[in-house]
Amino acid sequence: MIESWRWYGEFDSITLGEVAQTGARDIVTALHDIPYGEVWPRDAIAARKEQIQNAGFEWNVVESLPVHEQIKRGEGNLEQLFANYRQSMANLAAEGIKTICYNFMPLLDWTRTDLAAPVANGATCLRFDAVKMAAFEIHMLGRRAAEDDYPEDVRQRAAAWFQQATETERDTLLTAIMAGLPGAFERYDVAGLRSVLGRYAGMDRAALRANYSRFLQEVVPTAEELGMRLCVHQDDPPRDILGLPRIVSNADDLDWVLKAYDSLANGVTLCAGSLGANPANDVPAIAANIADRIHFVHLRNVRKDPNGSFEEAAHLDGDTDMVALVRVILQEEARRRETGRCDHDIPFRPDHGHHMLSDLTRDLIPGYPLIGRLRGLSELRGVIRALSD
């Protein structure tokens, strides 16, 4: 397994010099300053690659080459957007970067209600609180249909939270939810979010699947020609949210994705945390079922509450059997070597992590601390070493 580290380039206060001290070999990154839908110029890709290599790393995985919201909505003439996506793929391949992580989540890349929920010994973590989310959807956003998405006890507690919450607490909740918007370009107040959600009015699972299928038909043949691997990230959290459908949340969804364009170029970023937030998902079993199409792995863990809430756990704690999951990935690597596949070593990264120690006083991207991820990488490295002996 190839040890990787997600780095946000000029938006990241963690330096490549600091990352080098973790022992990771590869940097996972993107051109985060380019607006969605525009072509990634080859010279910009080459400059970022040179920066990474000069720091002693390789750049083999892009996370992510974003899918424009118009494509997800199936809105208007999309030919130019698809052409731009294909050209960006070609420019990446020309620089030797051939694995692309992406997602097909409408509007939000991820959703949390707390960016600094307390955990043991003074550290903090990302948390999704079902009560706060219900309060936001029903009482702040005014999405009355959301009442059907939450059980009665959660709705009652949400109403109580909203009634006693201060304006600062409500603003903090909005900020946490807006943190999941992709890129660095748009953040909304409640009225703005309500307006942009209106663009998805009437969108259901079938419609979103149709738009996703078209995306795959448009870009996977190019990936095949370029020798690239596209790998979809699972929904985070793996459930419908804000009235938006989610279609990459469980084993059945992944089976549909892989059959929608049956090609090795159409694969999966296996995210243990995203899948693990759904109590019905057996993450090691899902990984074993689709192992030959896993091109990239996010290893993190979550601890779930009965009401649908969850929070980031330490990498070897939480509800997912991380040892069993790593064993599946190592077994798949061995199988690939035996069959002569050139992509037998699978890149992974320690995903998220607790903010702890000096990270608590740094201006860091939520969920992406230095020390918390280093702890996770160290623990995972030990598991990999033990299973490999």
Side-chain angles (χ1 to χ4, degrees):
M1 296 173 69
I2 302 172
E3 295 183 2
S4 306
W5 189 273
R6 190 172 191 183
W7 182 63
Y8 286 87
E10 61 272 34
F11 298 104
D12 204 327
S13 63
I14 297 172
T15 68
L16 289 176
E18 289 175 305
V19 177
Q21 296 180 53
T22 71
R25 292 168 46 192
D26 278 31
I27 291 296
V28 174
T29 193
L31 302 185
H32 294 286
D33 60 320
I34 297 181
Y36 287 17
E38 293 187 10
V39 173
W40 286 14
R42 182 172 175 181
D43 60 350
I45 297 168
R48 177 57 56 83
K49 181 179 179 181
E50 181 179 18
Q51 179 187 17
I52 290 169
Q53 289 182 329
N54 286 344
F57 300 96
E58 295 298 324
W59 181 19
N60 291 305
V61 179
V62 168
E63 187 176 349
S64 59
L65 182 59
V67 180
H68 197 279
E69 292 299 307
Q70 285 181 231
I71 293 175
K72 297 175 187 177
R73 294 194 297 267
E75 177 183 280
N77 186 345
L78 301 176
E79 293 307 317
Q80 190 60 55
L81 286 173
F82 286 128
N84 288 356
Y85 202 95
R86 290 189 292 264
Q87 186 61 56
S88 294
M89 292 169 61
N91 291 346
L92 285 163
E95 294 299 325
I97 304 159
K98 296 193 173 183
T99 301
I100 297 174
C101 171
Y102 70 98
N103 74 69
F104 214 81
M105 288 179 266
L107 191 60
L108 294 169
D109 276 1
W110 52 274
T111 305
R112 299 292 187 275
T113 59
D114 298 88
L115 301 181
V119 294
N121 301 318
T124 67
C125 72
L126 299 179
R127 178 173 172 82
F128 177 91
D129 188 289
V131 171
K132 288 185 179 179
M133 195 67 208
F136 179 79
E137 291 206 64
I138 298 169
H139 300 286
M140 292 176 61
L141 192 61
R143 194 177 75 83
R144 296 303 171 186
E147 295 183 4
D148 296 331
D149 295 340
Y150 297 93
E152 176 63 24
D153 64 319
V154 171
R155 296 199 302 270
Q156 291 180 358
R157 293 174 60 194
W161 183 92
F162 178 75
Q163 290 170 3
Q164 61 82 38
T166 64
E167 183 175 350
T168 298
E169 288 171 329
R170 295 176 188 179
D171 288 344
T172 299
L173 176 58
L174 174 64
T175 298
I177 293 170
M178 288 300 97
L181 281 167
F185 305 104
E186 291 184 301
R187 296 294 182 267
Y188 304 106
D189 58 15
V190 170
L193 179 60
R194 191 180 296 121
S195 176
V196 76
L197 285 171
R199 300 177 192 171
Y200 280 93
M203 176 73 69
D204 59 13
R205 282 177 57 83
L208 189 59
R209 272 190 170 185
N211 297 337
Y212 188 14
S213 179
R214 180 182 176 189
F215 169 76
L216 293 174
Q217 306 306 314
E218 292 278 356
V219 301
V220 176
T222 299
E224 292 175 325
E225 294 169 6
L226 296 170
M228 303 189 84
R229 301 286 190 254
L230 292 168
C231 38
V232 66
H233 187 283
Q234 289 78 70
D235 303 324
D236 186 10
R239 50 165 287 179
D240 293 356
I241 203 160
L242 296 173
L244 302 171
R246 295 292 182 89
I247 58 171
V248 191
S249 294
N250 54 42
D252 289 342
D253 289 341
L254 289 170
D255 182 64
W256 178 88
V257 170
L258 299 181
K259 289 178 179 176
Y261 200 110
D262 191 4
S263 167
L264 193 60
N266 176 32
V268 170
T269 295
L270 195 286
C271 181
S274 294
L275 287 171
N278 183 341
N281 286 338
D282 181 333
V283 182
I286 290 173
N289 189 53
I290 61 170
D292 66 326
R293 303 280 278 277
I294 294 173
H295 302 317
F296 182 35
V297 179
H298 291 177
L299 294 178
R300 64 180 172 91
N301 221 324
V302 295
R303 182 177 294 107
K304 299 182 286 293
D305 298 332
N307 69 358
S309 303
F310 63 90
E311 67 183 25
E312 309 285 352
H315 287 73
L316 300 188
D317 296 332
D319 299 332
T320 295
D321 186 340
M322 194 61 67
V323 175
L325 177 58
V326 170
R327 182 180 289 111
V328 169
I329 303 303
L330 291 172
Q331 289 173 342
E332 172 60 16
E333 286 188 328
R335 187 195 67 81
R336 294 182 186 186
R337 291 189 189 95
E338 291 173 1
T339 59
R341 269 179 62 169
C342 61
D343 60 342
H344 48 75
D345 290 333
I346 300 174
F348 81 96
R349 65 175 180 82
D351 195 14
H352 297 182
H354 289 172
H355 288 243
M356 59 179 63
L357 302 174
S358 59
D359 281 346
L360 293 167
T361 60
R362 294 184 66 172
D363 182 18
L364 298 171
I365 293 169
Y368 288 92
L370 175 63
I371 298 170
R373 283 188 288 167
L374 173 58
R375 174 188 172 182
L377 177 58
S378 299
E379 293 175 343
L380 293 167
R381 184 180 289 147
V383 171
I384 293 167
R385 178 66 62 87
L387 292 176
S388 300
D389 288 343

